[in-house]
Every structure is written in structure tokens, then in C-alpha cells.
Amino acid sequence: MSFADHIRRCNNYDPAGAVPLVAGDQRIGWLRRDNAAALARFTRVFAVAAERVDLLASGDADAVSAAVDEVVEALVVDGRVPKWRNETFDVMPRWGDQPIFRLDRGAVPFFGVRAYGVHLNGYRREDGLLSLWIGQRAPDKRVDPNKLDNLVAGGIGNGHGAAATLAKEADEEAAIPAGLIRRAVPVGAMTYRMETPIGIRDDVMFVYDLEVPDDFAPQNRDGEIVRFELMAMDAVLDRIRTTEDFKFNVNLVILDFALRHGLLRPDEPGYLDLANGLHRSLD
Amino acid sequence: MSFADHIRRCNNYDPAGAVPLVAGDQRIGWLRRDNAAALARFTRVFAVAAERVDLLASGDADAVSAAVDEVVEALVVDGRVPKWRNETFDVMPRWGDQPIFRLDRGAVPFFGVRAYGVHLNGYRREDGLLSLWIGQRAPDKRVDPNKLDNLVAGGIGNGHGAAATLAKEADEEAAIPAGLIRRAVPVGAMTYRMETPIGIRDDVMFVYDLEVPDDFAPQNRDGEIVRFELMAMDAVLDRIRTTEDFKFNVNLVILDFALRHGLLRPDEPGYLDLANGLHRSLD
């Protein structure tokens, strides 16, 4: 692996293999062609054509959610959607828009709707050298079990904003006190689009940096992280360069951290592909 | 103007109006169709077809540069290229590649070849509040005279890297001591593609942040900046939101600074379009 390989892996989306999912005149997802075909039998909810799928269900978000839920339930029975996560994400054409419906998290990649999450770089600076608090994911996590992770990360569930999600996850995942997490600095957003066995991940990560005091040590409360380790940035970057030890998208969050903190240099080969590759166009 | 308007203005490139300039099997520029047509008479140097222009001149960078220079000289006579700038940029398919030839800076947008520059945010932090050193461009600058600018900015001339260009411009434009500019932190790169009267600007800006001490005050040496002012970030952002007082691309550099330093919030409308819009795909 090189730095660029991690970015390529998160952006292996194949446009030729997908058709747009459209609500009214707005695209709200990307359906892999076999997933689009699997929706053809739900004629009250979706209209499946060769090059697009239209959402037919109408009404307020509750009504549309109920109609789509019935379809998702059937897809779970078919084994096309792995399981209910009992957590729903808002489906909206663009960040900040009113949601058209709510979708079970497990079905999000099936429909290729955009999902939003927060990631926190918890760092310390000693004698000018940076280190990062790194977590190890529990062995029973559905995505990337046992892999290394940011200090805090989580998806933005329906009705929640980025800041509220960060505060909640910071408490559950790392027991960061409320007074400390308030000092987290929002530092931008990253985007990627990736093929998965279920469908297409079209992800946005809102990124925060938090300088933590020397006497802070994270403690997991929700069982999703089995241990935390403070790692020197040199070691972190070496490990990203040479292994797949980190969760697939966490590599990108840490590369962005390295870029913003001057740990990579514009005159090094590949710098520009990295700086640019972390931001896929929103279309 | 809104924040997003500044990004749109820098990205008003119209792909339908341009054809690729190709060297061997690599695209090295985007020619507006009328510019492509104007190259048809230089049959020893360019092959102009309906949907592409091929560079025919061959040999080492010196030989190709000499052949293209003759064409540029004729374009200056025709009034299609405004004037010789007596400063050349490397033309290369990608950053870090060997240059194929050197091109007079004045002709760069005519051929739509990618140009690289450095921009420095010189900032102070007092009681948690950020302020930026802002320059005002001289009235005789060809691009955006009298407009507000970063503390330091400049194009990367042939054979120079980003770091060397920053050090040179920091000395000439703002008399920043060598010991201070060495502390500048590279924090990423931004990209945009813009229509201009001459052709297409396909620009990359390598961005640096430098926290300057309280007793530092910039002094211009090269006549390109007429005055400097330390401005509170609140006032800078207000001015960007409501005016076109800043040089067109400097708006983007400062919006990126605001994003990275937590002055904009993910839950605000438009945040994501901003965070993403500062990074146009490199194609």
C-alpha cells in the first residue's frame, strides 16, 4: 500500500455499473444495476427503467419512510441487505436540505444514498512532535473488525447534526468530558465513493481536531473499541504507508490530518494527488 | 456575493468550449476553441483537429520550448497573448513530472496549461481570536490591481519548487526573515479552473500558514504591494461575504483558512459545498 492506494481503494466506484435513484427532479442515490433490478417488483414504491430508478412513494417523510421500510424488509429477507441496524439516516439531496425519508443504516449502501459521519483526531503535541490517540475496533464490529480507528467516529443519525453527533459519540466511545469535547475544532470535510458487497458507499466525513491534555486517557463505554493507544505520528504514517491495519476510511482522515499539520511537503511526489484526492466532487 | 459565489466564479470553466492539448499520450492543457483554431497555421508545431490539438514539436525541453516560443511570439503580435512576462512556467502532465517545455507566463492561460503557485496566510492569535495580515495589490498589477491579497503569494517559475518559491516571495513581497518563513506550515493545496479573456486558468495553489510574532510587520520590497493591514478574521470574512475587494482566488485561500481553523461550522448551510468546492478534481 502507498498513501495513494488508500485513496484509490475508497474511490473505486464504477459509474458505468450504477444508475441514479431520483426523487422528483433530484438525485438522492446511486443504485448498482443488480440492486436496481431487484427493486422492479416493488411497483408501488419504485419505477425501475433502464438508466434510472424513480421513487414513487409520496407524502411526508413519515409516509415515504414507511413505504421504503416495507421494501427494505423484503430485501433483508432476500439477503440483499445484511440486517437492520435499528438506526436510521436522513435521505436528502444535499446536506442541510429537508429529509425526503429516513432509511435504516444497513440499507444505505444498497440505495447508494449519501451518508454523513464525524471523525475526531485526538492529538497531543510534545516538543513540536505530534501523536494521535488511536483506538482498536472490537472484533464483533460489522465493518472492519479489529482495525485501528480514530479516537472518536460515528454516523450522523436522522435528526442529529454533526456537532451533536460528535458530543454523543465522544462520550460513549472515549469518555471525553463535555468541557473538553467543546474545544474540538471543525477543520473541514472529506468525501469518497466506494463499491461494497451491498452497494455503493457515498460518504462525507466531517473532521474535527482536538488537542487533549497530557492527563487525558480515553475510556470506551459502548464496547465498540477494545483499547486505545497514543501513537507518534511518524509511526502512524509508516503504518498507513505499509499496512491495511487502519479502517479503510480512517487512513484518509489521518492523511488529511498530516497534510493540514505540515507533516507532508508540497515538493514531495504525490503531494498534490493526496491533497486533492481526499475531496471527491459532490455530484 | 456569498462565499459560494467566489468558488463558482473561480470554477466557471466550460468544458464544451475547450479541446485538450495533448503531448504524446498525455493531456497538458485545455485550449478554448478559438485559441485552438488560431494555432492551425503553425503546422510544424501543432496539429489542430476538431476535438484535440497535438503538440508536434519534439526533442528535449529546450527544443520544444524554442518551437513553442516562436508561436507565442506570433500570438503576441496578433494580440491574443497580452505580453511577454519574461518569466516561464514548467509545462508537465502532472506535478512532479519532468517538464515537457517551458512556457512564458503570459501565454499560460492561452494554452490552458496547469499553473502552480504558493499562498501564505500570515496570522496572529490573541485571546483565541485570529487576525490575518492582508496586502493591497499595486495599481499597476495586470491581474486584479488594487485588490486585497494574502501576505505572500506567487507563481512557481520553471525549475523552482514550492518551498523555494515561498522563501523567495516572502523576502521580496513582505521582507519576512529567513528564520521566520522556515516556520511556515504547508497545509494543503487547492484547485480551480476558470475562464479568462485570454483562455483557461487551470490553477493549483499550495497553501501555507505562518503564525507571526506580535512585533513583526511586513514591508514590501518589490513594489507589488502598496500597503499591509492586520485585519480581524471576523472583518475579513464579512468583507469576503459581501464584496469583491479581495483578488479572485485569495477569497478561496482565506475561506480554506477559516475552514481549517474552525471559524465555520459543519451544521451551517453551505459548509459542505465550501469544504468540497475548494478542491476541483484534477483531470
Side-chain angles (χ1 to χ4, degrees):
Chain A
M1 300 294 279
S2 71
F3 290 157
D5 287 335
H6 292 293
I7 294 177
R8 273 190 285 272
R9 191 170 153 222
C10 288
N11 284 283
N12 67 348
Y13 165 67
D14 173 18
V19 299
L21 172 62
V22 178
D25 57 356
Q26 296 184 295
R27 187 192 66 74
I28 54 170
W30 288 108
L31 282 157
R32 210 172 54 202
R33 289 177 184 274
D34 62 315
N35 288 348
L39 293 178
R41 66 185 165 108
F42 305 103
T43 51
R44 280 181 44 244
V45 186
F46 295 103
V48 177
E51 294 302 326
R52 67 186 277 168
V53 175
D54 282 86
L55 176 69
L56 299 179
S58 61
D60 63 14
D62 287 343
V64 177
S65 301
V68 174
D69 269 357
E70 279 185 44
V71 173
V72 170
E73 214 157 335
L75 295 170
V76 172
V77 172
D78 290 353
R80 288 187 170 270
V81 169
K83 61 170 181 178
W84 289 85
R85 303 271 301 243
N86 297 317
E87 182 185 358
T88 55
F89 278 10
D90 282 325
V91 177
M92 44 205 174
R94 303 181 73 78
W95 177 245
D97 287 353
Q98 284 300 309
I100 295 174
F101 63 100
R102 299 176 298 277
L103 182 62
D104 188 279
R105 185 170 179 170
V108 164
F110 180 92
F111 292 96
V113 304
R114 188 164 288 154
Y116 301 86
V118 296
H119 285 253
L120 178 72
N121 296 298
Y123 71 97
R124 272 168 52 180
R125 190 192 303 268
E126 281 166 297
D127 302 328
L129 290 178
L130 292 165
S131 49
L132 272 182
W133 275 106
I134 299 294
Q136 183 175 6
R137 296 164 66 80
D140 60 355
K141 291 284 279 185
R142 195 176 64 83
V143 176
D144 276 359
N146 301 308
K147 297 254 178 172
L148 302 179
D149 207 336
N150 289 118
L151 176 55
V152 174
I156 300 179
N158 77 277
H160 296 93
T165 301
L166 178 71
K168 173 176 162 288
E169 298 285 346
D171 178 52
E172 292 174 5
E173 291 198 347
I176 300 177
L180 181 54
I181 195 64
R182 268 198 292 274
R183 283 163 25 203
V185 178
V187 291
M190 298 162 58
T191 46
Y192 61 88
R193 192 176 291 167
M194 186 180 187
E195 303 281 345
T196 80
I198 303 161
I200 292 152
R201 279 188 80 123
D202 190 21
D203 282 2
V204 171
M205 302 187 284
F206 294 110
V207 183
Y208 294 77
D209 281 1
L210 176 64
E211 185 164 5
V212 299
D214 292 0
D215 60 0
F216 167 80
Q219 284 186 296
N220 181 258
R221 294 183 202 267
D222 61 8
E224 298 194 2
I225 296 288
V226 290
R227 66 182 187 89
F228 288 103
E229 184 184 350
L230 186 68
M231 291 175 65
M233 267 306 286
D234 277 2
V236 171
L237 288 177
D238 253 10
R239 201 136 166 194
I240 289 177
R241 191 187 283 111
T242 56
T243 76
E244 297 184 25
D245 290 348
F246 282 87
K247 185 185 170 215
F248 66 99
N249 58 4
V250 172
N251 291 291
L252 276 51
V253 176
I254 297 176
L255 287 172
D256 172 71
F257 181 83
L259 270 169
R260 287 183 293 99
H261 288 274
L263 302 178
L264 304 170
R265 298 272 151 185
D267 292 314
E268 286 168 11
Y271 181 88
L272 182 57
D273 292 324
L274 217 58
N276 202 261
L278 299 172
H279 306 274
R280 185 188 182 93
S281 290
L282 294 169
D283 57 7
Chain B
M1 299 293 281
S2 71
F3 290 157
D5 287 335
H6 291 294
I7 294 177
R8 273 191 286 273
R9 190 169 155 224
C10 288
N11 284 282
N12 67 349
Y13 165 67
D14 173 17
V19 298
L21 172 63
V22 179
D25 57 357
Q26 296 183 295
R27 186 192 65 74
I28 54 170
W30 288 109
L31 282 157
R32 210 171 54 200
R33 288 178 185 274
D34 63 315
N35 288 348
L39 292 178
R41 67 185 164 108
F42 305 103
T43 52
R44 281 181 43 245
V45 186
F46 294 104
V48 178
E51 293 303 326
R52 65 186 279 169
V53 174
D54 282 86
L55 176 69
L56 299 179
S58 62
D60 63 13
D62 286 344
V64 177
S65 301
V68 174
D69 269 358
E70 280 185 44
V71 173
V72 170
E73 213 157 337
L75 294 170
V76 172
V77 172
D78 288 354
R80 288 187 170 270
V81 169
K83 62 170 181 179
W84 288 87
R85 304 271 300 242
N86 297 316
E87 182 185 357
T88 56
F89 279 11
D90 282 326
V91 177
M92 46 207 174
R94 301 182 73 77
W95 177 246
D97 286 353
Q98 285 299 311
I100 296 174
F101 63 100
R102 298 176 299 277
L103 183 61
D104 188 281
R105 185 170 182 171
V108 164
F110 179 92
F111 292 97
V113 303
R114 189 164 286 153
Y116 302 86
V118 296
H119 284 254
L120 178 72
N121 296 297
Y123 70 98
R124 273 169 51 181
R125 190 192 305 267
E126 279 165 297
D127 303 328
L129 290 179
L130 293 166
S131 50
L132 273 182
W133 275 106
I134 299 294
Q136 183 175 5
R137 297 163 66 81
D140 60 354
K141 291 285 280 184
R142 195 175 65 84
V143 175
D144 276 359
N146 300 309
K147 296 253 180 174
L148 301 179
D149 206 337
N150 290 119
L151 176 55
V152 174
I156 300 179
N158 76 279
H160 295 94
T165 301
L166 178 71
K168 174 177 160 289
E169 298 285 346
D171 178 52
E172 292 174 5
E173 291 198 345
I176 300 176
L180 180 55
I181 195 64
R182 268 198 291 275
R183 286 166 19 206
V185 178
V187 290
M190 297 160 60
T191 45
Y192 61 87
R193 192 176 291 167
M194 186 179 187
E195 303 281 345
T196 80
I198 302 160
I200 293 152
R201 280 187 81 122
D202 190 21
D203 281 2
V204 171
M205 302 186 284
F206 294 111
V207 182
Y208 294 77
D209 282 1
L210 175 64
E211 186 166 3
V212 299
D214 294 358
D215 61 0
F216 167 80
Q219 285 186 296
N220 181 258
R221 296 183 201 269
D222 61 7
E224 299 194 2
I225 296 288
V226 290
R227 65 183 188 90
F228 287 104
E229 183 184 351
L230 185 69
M231 290 174 66
M233 267 306 283
D234 277 2
V236 171
L237 288 177
D238 252 10
R239 199 136 167 195
I240 289 177
R241 191 187 283 109
T242 56
T243 75
E244 296 184 25
D245 290 349
F246 282 87
K247 186 186 170 214
F248 67 100
N249 58 4
V250 172
N251 292 291
L252 276 52
V253 177
I254 296 175
L255 287 172
D256 172 71
F257 180 83
L259 271 168
R260 288 184 294 97
H261 289 274
L263 302 178
L264 304 170
R265 299 272 151 185
D267 292 314
E268 287 168 9
Y271 182 89
L272 183 56
D273 292 324
L274 215 59
N276 201 262
L278 299 172
H279 306 274
R280 186 189 182 94
S281 290
L282 293 169
D283 57 7

